Amino acid sequence: METNKNLRQGAIFGAGEINPYGQFFTGDTYLKLLADSPDGQVGIGTVDFEPGARNNWHIHHDGYQILLVTAGHGWYQEAGKPAQALKAGDVIVTREGVKHWHGAQADSWFEHIALTAGTPEWLEPVSDEWYQAL
Amino acid sequence: METNKNLRQGAIFGAGEINPYGQFFTGDTYLKLLADSPDGQVGIGTVDFEPGARNNWHIHHDGYQILLVTAGHGWYQEAGKPAQALKAGDVIVTREGVKHWHGAQADSWFEHIALTAGTPEWLEPVSDEWYQAL
């Protein structure tokens, strides 16, 4: 089991701020913006999740998201598919229009870099019942 | 001083292959491709440099490159500007048309994630005289 003792300093890219999109998340998460592509198409940031924290189901429209996992242990799930356990070094590509969520495992903090293009549509939370059944 | 003892396993994303673009580099480097964006516009990979290794001066045309430094100590330099020391957590955005190079410091291995859009134009090597004067 990994603790969240390093959560506020991050694994590599330093401390993030309290996630300004927190209304679309369950539990505490932190966001650090790293860069925007010069063409304005791709935003890059790191997200740190406390143990048990996760985002709502959501869809990326007119774009995509790529996750580069940098620390801890997490979950990624697309609607209609089994949840996939994530660890440092894993890479996830989410295509346009795919309903999904991602977040920490219950007993571990979790950190990923996210490259995001397009506009997210935020949907319902991942319920405690759903999450605890993983 | 950091050694290159972890170079072949990488900091987070695992071992890369001998860099297929090695003819445009001085010294030994390793490349691991992580993902391509679904729209085909951005390629993502990690590059590991042995101490003293660096790429040639080059320009990104019709695109850009973003470096996310994940381990070690390196250099980044744009033509006509001082070289900038890099460490884990640093982020560099290179815009279209800017002549530059990047690589390891002489006594440290170095690793970065690179997000690349467009086409690189490879130019002359960074000479030993230039590099050793840093």
Side-chain angles (χ1 to χ4, degrees):
Chain A
M1 170 174 166
E2 301 194 19
T3 72
N4 64 343
K5 64 179 179 174
N6 293 316
L7 187 63
R8 296 306 298 272
Q9 66 193 68
I12 296 176
F13 294 100
E17 302 298 322
I18 293 174
N19 191 339
Y21 303 100
Q23 72 267 39
F24 305 120
F25 285 65
T26 298
D28 288 339
T29 58
Y30 304 88
L31 175 67
K32 181 165 187 177
L33 298 177
L34 297 178
D36 290 311
S37 66
D39 62 6
Q41 297 299 303
V42 185
I44 306 165
T46 58
V47 186
D48 285 277
F49 300 77
E50 287 194 331
R54 68 272 187 183
N55 50 31
N56 289 10
W57 291 97
H58 60 289
I59 296 171
H60 297 284
H61 290 290
D62 303 317
Y64 59 84
Q65 190 169 62
I66 299 174
L67 305 180
L68 308 174
V69 179
T70 45
H73 294 273
W75 292 113
Y76 173 79
Q77 185 171 33
E78 298 185 351
K81 297 183 181 180
Q84 177 180 347
L86 297 179
K87 63 184 187 309
D90 288 339
V91 177
I92 294 286
V93 178
T94 305
R95 291 174 174 270
E96 198 280 330
V98 175
K99 181 178 174 179
H100 69 292
W101 68 272
H102 33 111
Q105 294 188 12
D107 61 357
S108 174
W109 72 297
F110 179 59
E111 182 184 84
H112 62 56
I113 299 169
L115 288 67
T116 309
T119 305
E121 178 189 3
W122 294 102
L123 303 168
E124 71 277 12
V126 176
S127 70
D128 288 345
E129 294 74 13
W130 183 278
Y131 182 81
Q132 289 163 5
L134 290 173
Chain B
M1 172 174 164
E2 300 194 19
T3 71
N4 63 344
K5 65 178 180 176
N6 293 316
L7 187 64
R8 295 307 296 272
Q9 66 192 67
I12 297 177
F13 294 99
E17 303 297 322
I18 292 173
N19 192 340
Y21 303 99
Q23 71 266 38
F24 305 120
F25 286 64
T26 298
D28 288 340
T29 59
Y30 303 89
L31 175 66
K32 181 165 188 177
L33 298 176
L34 298 178
D36 290 311
S37 67
D39 63 5
Q41 296 299 302
V42 184
I44 305 165
T46 59
V47 186
D48 285 278
F49 300 77
E50 286 194 332
R54 67 270 187 183
N55 50 32
N56 288 10
W57 291 95
H58 61 289
I59 296 171
H60 298 284
H61 290 289
D62 303 318
Y64 58 85
Q65 191 170 62
I66 298 173
L67 305 179
L68 308 174
V69 179
T70 46
H73 294 274
W75 293 112
Y76 172 80
Q77 185 171 33
E78 298 185 352
K81 298 183 180 179
Q84 176 180 345
L86 297 180
K87 64 184 186 309
D90 287 340
V91 176
I92 294 286
V93 178
T94 305
R95 291 174 173 270
E96 199 280 330
V98 175
K99 180 178 175 179
H100 69 291
W101 68 273
H102 33 113
Q105 293 189 12
D107 61 357
S108 173
W109 71 298
F110 179 59
E111 182 185 83
H112 62 55
I113 298 168
L115 289 67
T116 308
T119 304
E121 178 189 4
W122 294 102
L123 303 169
E124 71 278 10
V126 176
S127 70
D128 288 344
E129 294 74 13
W130 183 277
Y131 183 81
Q132 290 163 4
L134 290 173

